[in-house]
């Protein structure tokens, strides 16, 4: 008798979520001297406060995925954050439980990261107070032009034991690091982001594994994908995955010590299939809500990930210090 394999168990649906939401992290103090960059602040501290409050009002109104209105969220939320919240709404509306993503659960800002930049697009970030998960988050806001309001683009939460590198005081601002700039850095931000994607996908077999310290997000992803691959192989099925950077998905600024803080956003697709000639497998309820069906012979789950890195000056290993990840779509055969 053919077995009905279960495609993507709940543990894999929210990869690393428990790890993302555990523990607490230490925040550095920032008492920086005046910045020497010539670019003006992308947004003044007082203005940043108003922008954050307006965005927080929209986020609080849509905090419950079951009642959230994605159209209303779109007024002040965009990018990965909007897609993750829209998916959570779809899942909750179908009566399933959205998997944790590692996004912010507290929106009160306790510090700001204000880049110095004159052109568009622009971005800035705030560090939130620890919420119920006991960990702060980095809330990234972006705007494409002077005519568009800043929107919350991502809210990755600090990983257990991690801390943000020390940055200049908000009034002084921080210098932007171009995606291809590697001055006094072990890797340019774009290259760093690409190499970490390879490490997440290939694990210890990646040629770039030694460039990064161990971190809870990477460990969670590796454990969950290994378990999923083994379960499918035992049933005669297959598992394949790939990652790519999202367009304009790399942001970076200088830290006080001359290193960098880098934010990278990815699209992660995993395709699972049952044994040839077998029966359709039952999808996890959250993924079934996104797929619009409960059974499938194969499924491709697309997740979006946002990872924050602390890059040392000169040389040394890069550390992933915050992460956010969740499913945004499911395609089935």
């Amino acid at each position: 008798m053919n077995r009905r394999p279960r495609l993507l168990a709940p543990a894999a649906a929210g990869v690393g979520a428990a790890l993302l939401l555990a523990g607490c992290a230490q925040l550095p103090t920032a008492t920086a001297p005046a910045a020497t960059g010539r670019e003006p602040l992308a947004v003044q501290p007082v203005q940043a406060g108003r922008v954050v409050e307006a965005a927080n009002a929209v986020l609080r109104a849509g905090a419950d995925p079951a009642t959230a209105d994605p159209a209303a969220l779109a007024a002040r939320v965009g990018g990965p954050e909007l897609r993750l919240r829209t998916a959570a709404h779809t899942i909750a509306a179908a009566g399933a439980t959205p998997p944790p993503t590692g996004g912010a659960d507290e929106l009160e800002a306790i510090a700001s990261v204000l880049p110095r930049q004159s052109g568009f697009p622009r971005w800035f970030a705030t560090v939130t107070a620890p919420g119920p998960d006991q960990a702060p988050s980095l809330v990234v806001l972006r705007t494409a032009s002077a005519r568009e309001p800043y929107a919350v683009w991502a809210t990755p939460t600090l990983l257990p034991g991690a801390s943000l590198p020390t940055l200049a005081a908000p009034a002084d601002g921080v210098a932007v690091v171009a995606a291809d700039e590697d001055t006094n850095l072990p890797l340019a931000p774009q290259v760093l982001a690409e190499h970490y994607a390879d490490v997440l996908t290939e694990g210890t077999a990646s040629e770039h594994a030694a460039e990064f310290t161990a971190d809870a997000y990477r460990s969670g992803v590796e454990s969950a994908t290994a378990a999923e691959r083994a379960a499918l192989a035992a049933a005669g099925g297959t598992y394949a995955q790939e990652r790519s950077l999202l367009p304009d998905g790399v942001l970076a600024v200088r830290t006080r010590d001359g290193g960098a803080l880098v934010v990278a956003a990815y699209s992660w697709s995993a395709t699972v299939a049952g044994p040839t000639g077998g029966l359709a497998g039952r999808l996890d309820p959250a993924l079934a809500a996104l797929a619009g069906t409960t059974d499938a012979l194969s499924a491709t789950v697309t997740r979006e990930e946002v990872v924050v890195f602390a890059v040392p000056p000169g040389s040394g290993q890069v550390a992933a210090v915050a992460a956010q990840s969740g499913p945004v779509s499911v395609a089935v055969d």
Side-chain angles (χ1 to χ4, degrees):
M1 179 182 295
N2 287 323
R3 299 175 59 191
R4 289 168 57 89
R6 184 175 181 84
L7 299 182
L8 289 178
V15 171
L19 291 171
L20 289 179
L21 300 177
C24 55
Q26 297 296 316
L27 283 179
T29 57
T31 54
T36 58
R38 296 179 181 178
E39 296 284 354
L41 289 175
V43 57
Q44 294 296 322
V46 173
Q47 180 189 4
R50 291 196 296 266
V51 169
V52 169
E53 193 52 45
N56 284 352
V58 173
L59 287 175
R60 290 189 179 99
D64 182 354
T67 59
D69 179 357
L73 284 173
R76 287 286 185 172
V77 184
E81 189 72 23
L82 180 59
R83 290 186 285 272
L84 289 169
R85 287 176 179 265
T86 299
H89 170 70
T90 300
I91 292 168
T97 301
T101 65
D105 59 4
E106 172 56 55
L107 302 172
E108 178 188 352
I110 59 175
S112 296
V113 180
L114 304 182
R116 289 187 167 273
Q117 51 189 164
S118 56
F120 287 91
R122 295 183 181 182
W123 69 281
F124 74 96
T126 64
V127 180
T128 69
D133 62 9
Q134 299 298 304
S137 297
L138 186 73
V139 178
V140 180
L141 300 99
R142 302 184 72 171
T143 180
S145 72
R147 296 181 297 275
E148 298 181 34
Y150 279 92
V152 176
W153 185 75
T155 62
T157 293
L158 265 68
L159 297 169
S163 60
L164 293 174
T166 303
L167 301 164
D172 297 327
V174 289
V176 171
V177 180
D180 60 354
E181 181 183 347
D182 61 2
T183 304
N184 197 42
L185 298 173
L187 297 166
Q190 179 83 17
V191 174
L192 176 162
E194 293 170 350
H195 286 190
Y196 189 74
D198 188 71
V199 173
L200 285 178
T201 304
E202 300 298 332
T204 56
S206 170
E207 62 180 309
H208 306 297
E211 298 170 359
F212 301 89
T213 63
D215 66 79
Y217 182 67
R218 171 179 163 187
S219 176
V221 167
E222 290 176 350
S223 296
T225 54
E228 189 69 31
R229 193 189 304 272
L232 284 162
T238 59
Y239 177 94
Q241 63 173 328
E242 61 180 9
R243 276 181 179 79
S244 59
L245 280 166
L246 294 178
D248 297 322
V250 178
L251 306 170
V253 292
R254 285 288 175 184
T255 54
R256 278 286 303 277
D257 62 4
L261 175 74
V262 176
V263 181
Y266 305 93
S267 175
W268 168 25
S269 294
T271 299
V272 298
T276 301
L279 297 174
R282 179 64 54 87
L283 292 170
D284 170 75
L287 302 182
L290 294 177
T293 185
T294 58
D295 300 280
L297 293 171
S298 68
T300 297
V301 180
T302 299
R303 297 176 175 86
E304 292 198 3
E305 307 166 292
V306 180
V307 184
V308 181
F309 303 94
V311 187
S315 60
Q317 289 182 302
V318 175
V321 296
Q324 175 181 23
S325 173
V328 295
S329 67
V330 178
V332 299
D333 289 327

